[in-house]
Amino acid sequence: MAQVVLEDISCRYDTTVALDRIALTIPSGQFLTLLGPSGCGKSTTLRVIAGLLQPSGGRVLFEGRDVTSVGSAKRNIGMVFQSLALFPHMTAAENVAFGLKMRKVDVAEIGKRVRRMLDVVRLGHLADRYPAQLSGGQQQRVALARALVIEPSILILDEPFAALDRKLREAMQVELRQITQELRTTSLFVTHDQEEALTLSDLVAVMNNGRIEQIGSPGEIFRRPKTRFVADFMGITNFLDGKLVGASATACRIEAAGIAFEAAPVPGLSLGQGVSVAIRPAGIKVTSGQPPGGIAMPGCVRQSNYHGSICSYVVDLDSGPTLIVRESNDDLPEHASARFPVGARVWAGWRREAVHLFADQ
Amino acid sequence: MMARLYRGGFDALAWALYGFMLAPLVCVVLVSFNADAVQSFPPRALSLHWYWHALNEPSFVSGAVTSAVLALCATALATPAGVAAALALHRSRWRGKAALELLLLAPLVVPGLVIGIALLVTLAGMDVREAPLRLLIGHVLIVLPYVVRTTLASLARLDPALTEAAETLGANRLAAFLQVILPLIRPGVVAGMLFGFILSFDDVSVSLFLVDARTVTLPLAIMSYLQYNFDPSIAAISSMLIGLTILVVVVVERRLGMKQLFTG
Amino acid sequence: MTKAAISALDGRFASRLGPVRSGRQGVSGASSLLLLPAVLVVCFCLLVPLAYVVVLSFNPPVTGEVELTNELTLVNYARLFLQPFYSAILLRTISVSAITTFLCVGFGLVLALSIWRAPPRQRGLRVIIVISPLLVSIVTRTYGWMVVLGDNGILNTLLRAMGLIDEPLHMMFTQGAVIVGLVHVFLPMMVLSILAAMDKIDPALAQAAETLGASSFVAFWKITFPLLIPGLTAGVTIVFSLAMSSYVTPALMGGRNAGMLTTLIYQQFVVTYNWHFGAALVVVLLTTSLIALALVLLESGRRTRAWLVKP
Ligand SMILES: Nc1ncnc2c1ncn2[C@@H]1O[C@H](COP(=O)(O)OP(=O)(O)O)[C@@H](O)[C@H]1O
Ligand SMILES: [Mg+2]
């Protein structure tokens, strides 16, 4: 359980820059998730922390100690690999015991700790099975036990659940969260699935192109994305091009899609500057008439899709842009599958809080 | 109708070819049990007489010892070198890798006869004329590429994260190799060793130019016996070799087959 | 050197080499140590001797002399190409090898297809039957053919017993016998090469063709066969060059008039001690194989360039 700090880490493969001056602090005992699209440098970051890759610049600190040039074997890392990398010729128990054997822990102690850890991951009864004789979820738990039994300074997991089906994945997420909280392990988790990141983490760091775009609690990341990329990745799919036309201490005024409206103030924007206006699909309300007050624009329903507990509409605004809207089906009449049919004339309106502004690059 | 005919003709041809592949081996075994000195078919009486005869032929006995010792030594020398080289090749990412791999597999491409002659000539030029030494060098060249090839193939099948997993768990490179990698590639290494051993034991073309009057390998002893005699003791010794090979293959298949369960 | 210069250098190397695996700083050193024994063996026991033979073939022939001299000459090659006796042997070697290769391609396709189409449980047995000769010494295999094809051999005995012939057919010690022996020796390699290529083919392809209306014969020629070209190429090059350099089969099964380049080479080194001429023969043997290999590779490259994706 240690605080882990990355200072200005850069990393190159031949010509591609995989990491561009990454700075990151994982507080002791916290669960941090690296979230980003495939190829953005998540695995590379993990490998630098694990000591499997030497960065071309910067430092790695464990509990304030510089470990940049310390080999992986000496860092006391618990790592769960994307492929799991279970040793196929060793039983579950032997896999879990491996790290302790390497640390020359005495045999009786190894037996005790392995049994305890296998119980923690609820695999006590399968200790003598080979990996090939275990199911995907069980293999996952062996890998987790193997990484945790050595009481690592930090637990590192590289998209461990990517290959599991949805149901198993959700079960494993709950279990992982529970175990790491129980053991108070500093954990670094990697995923490209935003839902998984929000569910599991104390902190989320969103990565893009070898940089960290934003770090914060799941709530912060979801509600207050700092960049257009983060907003996009968090599922905000509506972007309008606009212009800042007025600003005060409590609000700013924007012109976009043919109308002017207010949004929360954003520091650092200057008058007349081009902005991207991001509107959360769940923050938009579709009504048949013009709603009283608030911001609303007329348009026409192009698509109407039923997804079970929610509905989604694609609305072509009369002023040009298209909006995607999601709304709950809670107050939908029993046999209806949408409130509005394709072709219906509607108004799309939103509250001030649903709008995020980003300066154009 | 056409399809039927085509199919039937195809099957008949295929079975004829299977027969063709087996014919000489089966005939050798049949003849070896024949009691007569002249070949007759079908045998008029069965006997193990020719086996006794073969086992008492001094050139066969000394040839078998020579070949066995030679194949063992060659395999013992080539295996560590081949495994080490395969490991280094597998790990390295630099440009010369493909060329080096080609170099190490080159003895497979160069005809055995040419290898034998080249060694004969060069060593004679250096005034080295000891047959055992020449033979050993030649046979190391026979075994080496098979060990390299099968080891490389087994390494390629491994998850590259396995070594890293061992490292993060605190293993140094030697421990990671001995405890994780070696057990997993062992079937491949053993297969390469055995194949190399069999090829070395059976080799004619490399050895042809490297033997001398005192040091003769078994296949060459059989060959020179064959040039002056044509009695079934050749069939007997050949049958024994066939039996031995089958035994080795079956045992290995059994033992390694079990292990491969975990590596698959 | 100043600190800045050092770090600049560092940066340059880092960018060229990419990240160095930690704990493996000595990676190149350790790797080359591991490679050293094997590379030394191949260099000094194969490459150097091959070069020695090549140089020797350009030295003037002196019986019993094996040391290299500075005097270079083409007499050894002239003797080979200008004396009809020798060039006839070269031509015969090439034609026998070509016929062997051709037969191996045809039979190899039949066997490989029959293995491929076999039910899974029979497949292993069929493969073992086909490759079994590989595990038996070539002397044994050749002896087996002598038993089958000899004047008093099994085939003649059978034919006589069936009343088809009165006098034994003289099959041994002919060119035909050599070809039969060679086909038997090399067919397993051809089948293995073709099977390796077949393993990469999606079996659904031929079925797709048949659902599109192709007969199974057409499906084979139009779909499967072109995809087998890489495997056939490998097989053809292996079989041709091995056939060119086979010694045991022509020596034991060929008659006086069926001598091949290899038997001639054997004479030079073991009987007449004319090593320089022998060396020239070896060089010609290797070059011919290489030329054939190049031709086959070119032709196969031309046919597959468009679709074959290099790994
Ligand atoms: N071994 C490698 N050689 C060259 N480039 C690599 C290598 N590994 C990763 N990269 C590149 O580095 C970037 C980051 O990769 P990675 O950290 O694996 O991404 P992620 O795990 O986020 O999907 C990618 O552009 C990838 O193509
Ligand atoms: Mg990754």
Side-chain angles (χ1 to χ4, degrees):
Chain A
M1 331 300 113
Q3 183 198 45
V4 172
V5 176
L6 297 185
E7 280 182 354
D8 263 352
I9 293 287
S10 295
C11 212
R12 288 184 216 118
Y13 293 103
D14 301 319
T15 50
T16 43
V17 177
L19 297 182
D20 185 9
R21 302 176 42 119
I22 294 273
L24 183 68
T25 299
I26 311 166
S28 179
Q30 299 254 355
F31 195 115
L32 186 141
T33 296
L34 282 181
L35 173 64
S38 178
C40 71
K42 305 179 299 283
S43 296
T44 307
T45 312
L46 289 198
R47 295 166 62 79
V48 167
I49 296 177
L52 293 169
L53 203 60
Q54 193 74 23
S56 38
R59 299 199 303 163
V60 182
L61 306 175
F62 280 21
E63 233 19 303
R65 193 166 61 94
D66 184 350
V67 295
T68 317
S69 54
V70 173
S72 180
K74 299 262 154 62
R75 286 194 191 186
N76 202 32
I77 297 281
M79 183 148 177
V80 177
F81 289 79
Q82 201 160 359
S83 62
L84 297 188
L86 291 179
F87 305 133
H89 58 306
M90 299 184 192
T91 61
E94 285 165 354
N95 263 285
V96 177
F98 186 86
L100 297 173
K101 266 194 210 139
M102 291 299 119
R103 284 166 175 71
K104 307 234 159 37
V105 177
D106 77 58
V107 181
E109 171 77 7
I110 291 184
K112 230 169 45 197
R113 280 168 67 177
V114 167
R115 237 169 295 128
R116 197 174 340 123
M117 191 45 73
L118 283 174
D119 286 337
V120 169
V121 297
R122 299 190 290 114
L123 276 183
H125 58 299
L126 298 177
D128 294 325
R129 293 262 187 104
Y130 286 94
Q133 302 167 316
L134 296 171
S135 74
Q138 290 165 341
Q139 290 180 1
Q140 208 95 52
R141 295 205 289 255
V142 175
L144 189 59
R146 183 176 73 175
L148 283 171
V149 76
I150 58 172
E151 291 169 8
S153 309
I154 180 169
L155 173 68
I156 297 180
L157 307 101
D158 192 353
E159 313 208 22
F161 307 145
L164 302 184
D165 62 61
R166 191 186 171 90
K167 229 168 123 186
L168 188 53
R169 184 164 65 221
E170 279 167 8
M172 287 301 303
Q173 285 168 1
V174 171
E175 210 163 316
L176 173 67
R177 184 77 178 134
Q178 203 172 339
I179 291 170
T180 51
Q181 269 171 356
E182 236 163 69
L183 303 175
R184 278 194 232 100
T185 318
T186 309
S187 312
L188 178 59
F189 186 90
V190 156
T191 182
H192 59 256
D193 175 352
Q194 48 122 345
E195 242 175 84
E196 188 169 73
L198 298 178
T199 314
L200 280 172
S201 327
D202 298 315
L203 288 169
V204 176
V206 182
M207 282 189 77
N208 181 27
N209 256 333
R211 290 163 182 272
I212 290 183
E213 296 258 333
Q214 185 175 1
I215 305 181
S217 69
E220 256 172 77
I221 299 278
F222 187 72
R223 288 222 198 79
R224 287 281 134 228
K226 272 197 196 137
T227 63
R228 181 175 166 156
F229 175 82
V230 177
D232 200 2
F233 211 74
M234 284 295 135
I236 304 180
T237 38
N238 297 314
F239 289 95
L240 307 177
D241 293 326
K243 203 166 73 175
L244 191 71
V245 293
S248 71
T250 55
C252 60
R253 220 174 151 64
I254 304 137
E255 229 177 63
I259 61 165
F261 52 89
E262 286 198 342
V266 178
L269 289 183
S270 51
L271 273 183
Q273 187 175 358
V275 290
S276 290
V277 181
I279 310 166
R280 200 174 288 286
I284 303 177
K285 185 113 187 94
V286 184
T287 49
S288 46
Q290 182 169 18
I295 313 143
M297 291 199 268
C300 177
V301 175
R302 168 148 53 100
Q303 264 184 50
S304 151
N305 302 310
Y306 182 73
H307 305 283
S309 59
I310 61 164
C311 250
S312 72
Y313 301 102
V314 177
V315 179
D316 289 325
L317 298 181
D318 294 344
S319 53
T322 298
L323 291 181
I324 293 170
V325 182
R326 256 201 290 280
E327 57 177 39
S328 153
N329 280 343
D330 287 350
D331 33 325
L332 200 65
E334 193 149 337
H335 297 292
S337 58
R339 285 200 300 131
F340 300 100
V342 172
R345 296 287 312 163
V346 292
W347 286 78
W350 56 87
R351 287 172 303 121
R352 196 177 119 153
E353 289 72 37
V355 174
H356 305 276
L357 293 186
F358 306 105
D360 279 352
Q361 255 79 46
Chain B
M1 190 58 213
M2 269 308 287
R4 269 266 193 78
L5 261 180
Y6 163 67
R7 199 66 198 232
F10 176 87
D11 284 346
L13 183 54
W15 285 111
L17 285 171
Y18 287 120
F20 171 75
M21 291 321 285
L22 283 179
L25 305 188
V26 171
C27 292
V28 164
V29 176
L30 286 180
V31 167
S32 72
F33 293 111
N34 193 346
D36 297 339
V38 270
Q39 270 181 35
S40 55
F41 192 84
R44 260 165 296 190
L46 298 180
S47 111
L48 289 175
H49 169 74
W50 294 110
Y51 283 83
W52 181 244
H53 195 270
L55 289 173
N56 281 308
E57 165 65 36
S59 73
F60 289 174
V61 175
S62 70
V65 172
T66 307
S67 282
V69 171
L70 185 60
L72 271 178
C73 292
T75 311
L77 286 176
T79 304
V83 172
L87 271 179
L89 273 182
H90 177 69
R91 230 178 4 214
S92 70
R93 280 187 44 206
W94 41 286
R95 282 195 198 102
K97 184 179 161 164
L100 264 182
E101 196 175 324
L102 209 64
L103 176 76
L104 291 181
L105 298 181
L108 286 178
V109 189
V110 182
L113 186 102
V114 175
I115 295 180
I117 290 173
L119 279 174
L120 169 76
V121 172
T122 313
L123 290 175
M126 290 158 56
D127 229 11
V128 177
R129 289 171 199 272
E130 284 78 19
L133 180 63
R134 305 194 290 219
L135 281 169
L136 183 59
I137 296 177
H139 282 240
V140 166
L141 283 177
I142 295 176
V143 183
L144 184 69
Y146 286 98
V147 175
V148 171
R149 198 157 71 168
T150 55
T151 308
L152 273 178
S154 346
L155 284 170
R157 275 198 301 268
L158 289 188
D159 178 356
L162 283 173
T163 317
E164 296 181 344
E167 270 178 48
T168 60
L169 288 167
N172 58 28
R173 281 170 65 191
L174 187 66
F177 173 70
L178 290 179
Q179 304 208 16
V180 177
I181 303 305
L182 189 59
L184 292 175
I185 62 172
R186 191 176 294 143
V189 175
V190 172
M193 278 170 69
L194 277 163
F195 207 52
F197 181 91
I198 291 178
L199 288 182
S200 156
F201 193 89
D202 286 346
D203 172 76
V204 172
S205 51
V206 174
S207 314
L208 188 62
F209 297 91
L210 303 180
V211 292
D212 64 10
R214 269 171 305 149
T215 320
V216 181
T217 62
L218 183 55
L220 285 170
I222 299 176
M223 202 165 134
S224 59
Y225 187 92
L226 194 53
Q227 271 157 349
Y228 304 104
N229 312 271
F230 196 68
D231 64 54
S233 61
I234 305 259
I237 184 86
S238 300
S239 302
M240 286 189 265
L241 290 179
I242 294 173
L244 211 64
T245 313
I246 293 177
L247 194 73
V248 171
V249 169
V250 167
V251 167
V252 168
E253 170 61 28
R254 278 252 174 105
R255 296 285 311 276
L256 297 181
M258 308 271 278
K259 281 239 179 68
Q260 239 127 18
L261 263 183
F262 313 128
T263 49
Chain C
M1 234 191 290
T2 64
K3 222 172 163 189
I6 292 174
S7 64
L9 261 182
D10 264 344
R12 221 182 63 213
F13 281 122
S15 69
R16 180 122 48 91
L17 300 175
V20 181
R21 308 264 339 259
S22 79
R24 301 214 159 152
Q25 268 76 13
V27 77
S28 51
S31 280
S32 40
L33 261 183
L34 287 175
L35 275 168
L36 200 62
V39 170
L40 282 184
V41 166
V42 176
C43 284
F44 283 101
C45 303
L46 185 66
L47 297 192
V48 170
L50 280 179
Y52 197 104
V53 170
V54 173
V55 176
L56 192 71
S57 74
F58 287 103
N59 279 173
V62 184
T63 311
E65 181 61 64
V66 285
E67 259 148 62
L68 300 182
T69 61
N70 283 331
E71 210 179 323
L72 297 183
T73 161
L74 287 174
V75 279
N76 299 311
Y77 292 95
R79 184 172 164 202
L80 168 60
F81 288 111
L82 298 182
Q83 293 198 14
F85 174 70
Y86 295 125
S87 33
I89 289 183
L90 178 58
L91 281 182
R92 176 161 28 180
T93 306
I94 293 176
S95 63
V96 166
S97 306
I99 294 171
T100 301
T101 312
F102 183 76
L103 290 174
C104 280
V105 169
F107 295 158
L109 277 173
V110 172
L111 280 176
L113 269 177
S114 121
I115 290 172
W116 199 40
R117 289 178 182 167
R121 298 186 55 208
Q122 274 188 32
R123 211 170 282 168
L125 180 66
R126 293 190 183 189
V127 171
I128 288 176
I129 292 178
V130 170
I131 67 172
S132 58
L134 278 184
L135 293 171
V136 179
S137 168
I138 184 150
V139 178
T140 304
R141 288 187 259 173
T142 312
Y143 170 72
W145 281 115
M146 298 168 80
V147 170
V148 174
L149 299 178
D151 284 359
N152 293 316
I154 290 172
L155 197 56
N156 269 320
T157 316
L158 280 178
L159 291 177
R160 229 175 336 186
M162 291 191 289
L164 291 175
I165 51 170
D166 298 326
E167 288 292 298
L169 297 173
H170 295 290
M171 291 176 285
M172 272 307 290
F173 309 117
T174 60
Q175 202 118 282
V178 174
I179 292 176
V180 167
L182 289 178
V183 168
H184 183 253
V185 171
F186 298 125
L187 195 48
M189 298 175 187
M190 182 64 83
V191 174
L192 287 180
S193 305
I194 300 174
L195 276 180
M198 278 182 174
D199 273 346
K200 296 196 193 110
I201 299 179
D202 184 352
L205 283 180
Q207 289 165 12
E210 284 176 44
T211 62
L212 292 171
S215 73
S216 62
F217 186 79
V218 171
F220 173 74
W221 279 111
K222 294 282 181 211
I223 308 295
T224 313
F225 184 75
L227 294 173
L228 290 180
I229 287 180
L232 282 171
T233 308
V236 165
T237 53
I238 293 171
V239 170
F240 185 81
S241 71
L242 285 181
M244 286 276 301
S245 64
S246 62
Y247 169 76
V248 178
T249 309
L252 292 181
M253 295 178 77
R256 264 166 200 64
N257 302 323
M260 302 239 293
L261 209 46
T262 47
T263 48
L264 187 60
I265 291 174
Y266 183 79
Q267 277 174 14
Q268 306 311 311
F269 281 96
V270 178
V271 183
T272 63
Y273 281 91
N274 195 340
W275 289 18
H276 299 82
F277 182 52
L281 293 176
V282 168
V283 172
V284 168
L285 177 75
L286 275 181
T287 336
T288 317
S289 305
L290 280 179
I291 292 174
L293 192 141
L295 288 179
V296 173
L297 285 180
L298 272 180
E299 173 64 13
S300 122
R302 201 176 59 77
R303 289 181 179 237
T304 59
R305 190 169 24 218
W307 55 266
L308 191 66
V309 183
K310 286 270 152 59

